[in-house]
Amino acid sequence: DPVDPDIIFVHADSVYDNIPVVLNDGEVILGEGVPHFIDVAGLANPIPLPRATAGVNRPLLQNTIGDAVTLANNSEFSGFSIVNTTGTAISAIGVTNPSANRNIIDTTNGPTSHGIFLQNITGLALFEDNEISNIDGNAFFVQGGTANIVYSGSITNVTPPHGFAVLIENNG
């Protein structure tokens, strides 16, 4: 429910080996290890989400066969490290208002494995403060759609034989 989304908070220092994440509409998955602020009914400003552990490292998704994270309508995935995937690290296909922020994406394997892949998305797409490196495909790939897309962060080590740092095709 976009009005009252589910928030899943994943502890720092957690490690997930070959466990892809597929978000549901309106779902928010936050990794401990970076600051998160949430809106609370009746309060004028968002409040900081408290820490749950003494861990310091972002939760880690590693060695994923296929896409590591698939976003849904009005979903958010923030505060993770995604390392060594054979598919795309974060994908959003045919959805509205996807968001992925403050993630570290390092090493995708294969020419069709991208850092972030957005296809035919609409609405407002927020991809802020991400770090993308060592991508075999394209680091930030947008194909089709009419979304207003905000990207900030870094893209490094995208030299041959790697794909483009940013590739935008067939957008309205």
Side-chain angles (χ1 to χ4, degrees), residues 102-114:
R102 294 171 304 216
N103 296 296
I104 296 172
I105 299 169
D106 184 22
T107 309
T108 64
N109 300 290
T112 60
S113 64
H114 309 293

Side-chain angles (χ1 to χ4, degrees), residues 98-166:
S99 178
N101 305 297
R102 294 171 304 216
N103 296 296
I104 296 172
I105 299 169
D106 184 22
T107 309
T108 64
N109 300 290
T112 60
S113 64
H114 309 293
I116 296 174
F117 177 59
L118 309 176
Q119 184 180 51
N120 296 325
I121 63 169
T122 57
L124 177 61
L126 298 175
F127 292 84
E128 299 177 301
D129 300 320
N130 293 296
E131 299 174 27
I132 304 174
S133 60
N134 301 312
I135 306 301
D136 276 357
N138 301 301
F140 191 81
F141 186 9
V142 179
Q143 188 177 61
T146 58
N148 292 317
I149 299 170
V150 176
Y151 179 84
S152 66
S154 63
I155 298 173
T156 57
N157 195 27
V158 187
T159 57
H162 303 290
F164 294 100
V166 177

Side-chain angles (χ1 to χ4, degrees), residues 42-138:
L43 297 180
N45 297 311
I47 63 168
L49 193 62
R51 295 198 52 94
T53 71
V56 295
N57 298 308
R58 298 168 199 230
L60 174 64
L61 301 178
Q62 66 181 10
N63 305 319
T64 307
I65 297 172
D67 293 354
V69 177
T70 303
L71 300 174
N73 293 305
N74 303 302
S75 65
E76 178 182 354
F77 185 83
S78 296
F80 285 77
S81 291
I82 303 170
V83 177
N84 195 34
T85 178
T86 63
T88 294
I90 299 174
S91 67
I93 299 173
V95 300
T96 300
N97 302 326
S99 178
N101 305 297
R102 294 171 304 216
N103 296 296
I104 296 172
I105 299 169
D106 184 22
T107 309
T108 64
N109 300 290
T112 60
S113 64
H114 309 293
I116 296 174
F117 177 59
L118 309 176
Q119 184 180 51
N120 296 325
I121 63 169
T122 57
L124 177 61
L126 298 175
F127 292 84
E128 299 177 301
D129 300 320
N130 293 296
E131 299 174 27
I132 304 174
S133 60
N134 301 312
I135 306 301
D136 276 357
N138 301 301

